[in-house]
Amino acid sequence: MKEIKFDRLGFALNVDANAAYETNAEELYRAALIGADKSRSKFQQIYGVKDRVKLGLVEAASMVKPGACDFDPSDIDISQITLTVCPIMIGTAFCVEDLESSFLSDQIGKGSSDFKQPAAFMNFLYETVANKVDEELELITWQGVSSTGATYIDSCDGLEYKLSIDPTVLSAATASTVTSANVIDKLIEARNAMGVAVRRKSDFTYMVSQNVYDALADAVSTNKASGLYYVENVELKFQGVSVTLADGMSDDVIVAGSLSNFVYATDLLADTQSFNFVDFMKTTLVRKIGLRTDAKINFSYKIGAEIYFHKP
């Protein structure tokens, strides 16, 4: 067997003493905006949007018809929707002493003995910020209402608000609190409200809030043998359809539809260079660290008539 030399593969086994060890803040920024483990990451992603973007929609009648000599084409309806992104600022400041204490506790828990390595320290800082941004963006995805402007959640209109005011969306007949006693009936109602064409799509799913997810798990925990609702140690499903936890939702919310019908637009690719980190000790002599970046976001959908929405 021929020996493979690492230098031919580009492996650098000798590290220069002057090599930089800075954490890649842009990657953490990117991961936080995308939300890799969150519901918004499953939507259609549109990047590089600075102000607005137009999405084309095409709806066609049956394309296949019985053979005949005459040409009898089906009509295709072409339309578009416009998504306008909301500007947001991501910023915070830390007391260095508090952050050091938190960092040391974290490292001790991991069994590390090297508390002074700059790369590890900065990695801890950026990961802490990224996780918080990820969590807050998921709440905005669903619960945001920009007209109030009271908290960070109100930075942009979320899907719950948009779905609630759209008359084309399929609303629950009677929206109420979801419990383990009625969650199956709620999901059956959602299933029956959707057209067969939507339910046939490979990415058709139920997106639910944490309490609905827990209620479904409780409801089927004593009925696993049926095989209808739950696959042990794999994922929570309802009659073979995946149930996606959207932990940014309000309680008792159920949204059914095709994931590709939902859209997440951001200027992500354009602004990763704007991630700024400042040590105030070097400017104002205040022992704090400041961090800021700016971004633009929008959460929406294409066809309201292909979405079922339950919210009391």
Side-chain angles (χ1 to χ4, degrees):
M1 179 177 180
K2 186 175 181 180
E3 180 183 0
I4 298 177
K5 294 185 178 181
F6 286 106
D7 58 349
R8 292 186 180 179
L9 300 178
F11 281 61
L13 301 182
N14 296 318
V15 180
D16 189 278
N18 296 319
Y21 288 94
E22 289 84 359
T23 298
N24 190 342
E26 294 178 12
E27 289 302 318
L28 290 173
Y29 166 70
R30 183 180 291 109
L33 279 186
I34 293 175
D37 297 323
K38 302 295 184 180
S39 61
R40 66 184 184 277
S41 68
K42 303 178 188 298
F43 302 165
Q44 178 184 346
Q45 309 282 311
I46 303 177
Y47 301 136
V49 183
K50 303 303 297 182
D51 178 59
R52 66 193 65 201
V53 63
K54 293 183 178 181
L55 294 181
L57 302 178
V58 178
E59 295 184 51
S62 176
M63 303 296 292
V64 179
K65 297 183 178 181
C69 290
D70 295 332
F71 179 55
D72 183 20
S74 298
D75 291 332
I76 293 180
D77 294 327
I78 300 176
S79 59
Q80 65 180 15
I81 59 173
T82 300
L83 304 181
T84 302
V85 289
C86 309
I88 61 172
M89 179 192 74
I90 300 170
T92 189
F94 307 89
C95 172
V96 174
E97 184 177 354
D98 293 342
L99 187 62
E100 285 174 345
S101 298
S102 177
F103 171 72
L104 295 180
S105 299
D106 177 81
Q107 292 300 294
I108 291 171
K110 292 180 178 179
S112 173
S113 60
D114 183 5
F115 303 140
K116 297 181 181 180
Q117 187 186 94
F121 183 85
M122 295 308 299
N123 190 59
F124 174 83
L125 187 152
Y126 287 133
E127 283 187 354
T128 300
V129 173
N131 289 338
K132 185 63 175 176
V133 171
D134 188 16
E135 175 187 328
E136 293 183 354
L137 285 178
E138 184 69 3
L139 288 168
I140 298 173
T141 301
W142 294 101
Q143 298 186 43
V145 183
S146 61
S147 60
T148 60
T151 68
Y152 72 87
I153 296 181
D154 308 312
S155 301
C156 196
D157 287 336
L159 288 169
E160 290 181 23
Y161 172 73
K162 291 180 178 180
L163 293 170
S164 67
I165 63 173
D166 187 346
T168 68
V169 171
L170 305 172
S171 300
T174 304
S176 60
T177 301
V178 179
T179 67
S180 58
N182 66 11
V183 65
I184 300 300
D185 290 336
K186 295 286 187 181
L187 291 174
I188 289 175
E189 178 184 336
R191 179 201 66 192
N192 292 341
M194 303 303 299
V196 175
V198 177
R199 300 208 313 265
R200 281 201 201 105
K201 294 184 178 180
S202 60
D203 62 345
F204 175 71
T205 190
Y206 302 96
M207 290 181 283
V208 301
S209 60
Q210 182 70 65
N211 76 306
V212 175
Y213 192 89
D214 293 341
L216 179 60
D218 290 341
V220 303
S221 61
T222 58
N223 193 32
K224 295 176 185 177
S226 69
L228 291 178
Y229 311 126
Y230 190 77
V231 179
E232 187 68 66
N233 296 325
V234 179
E235 63 178 330
L236 194 60
K237 292 187 176 183
F238 177 69
Q239 297 179 335
V241 176
S242 64
V243 177
T244 300
L245 172 62
D247 53 12
M249 283 182 171
S250 305
D251 284 347
D252 306 307
V253 171
I254 300 172
V255 174
S258 168
L259 288 170
S260 57
N261 192 20
F262 295 86
V263 180
Y264 175 32
T266 176
D267 63 345
L268 176 63
L269 293 184
D271 284 350
T272 56
Q273 298 295 333
S274 68
F275 197 94
N276 296 305
F277 170 81
V278 176
D279 182 358
F280 292 113
M281 190 68 177
K282 297 177 180 178
T283 55
T284 61
L285 299 182
V286 176
R287 198 161 184 255
K288 288 187 175 181
I289 294 173
L291 182 149
R292 171 173 177 166
T293 189
D294 294 89
K296 294 175 183 176
I297 55 174
N298 182 286
F299 314 97
S300 193
Y301 53 88
K302 304 170 191 174
I303 305 174
E306 295 184 357
I307 300 173
Y308 171 89
F309 179 55
H310 173 284
K311 181 181 179 180

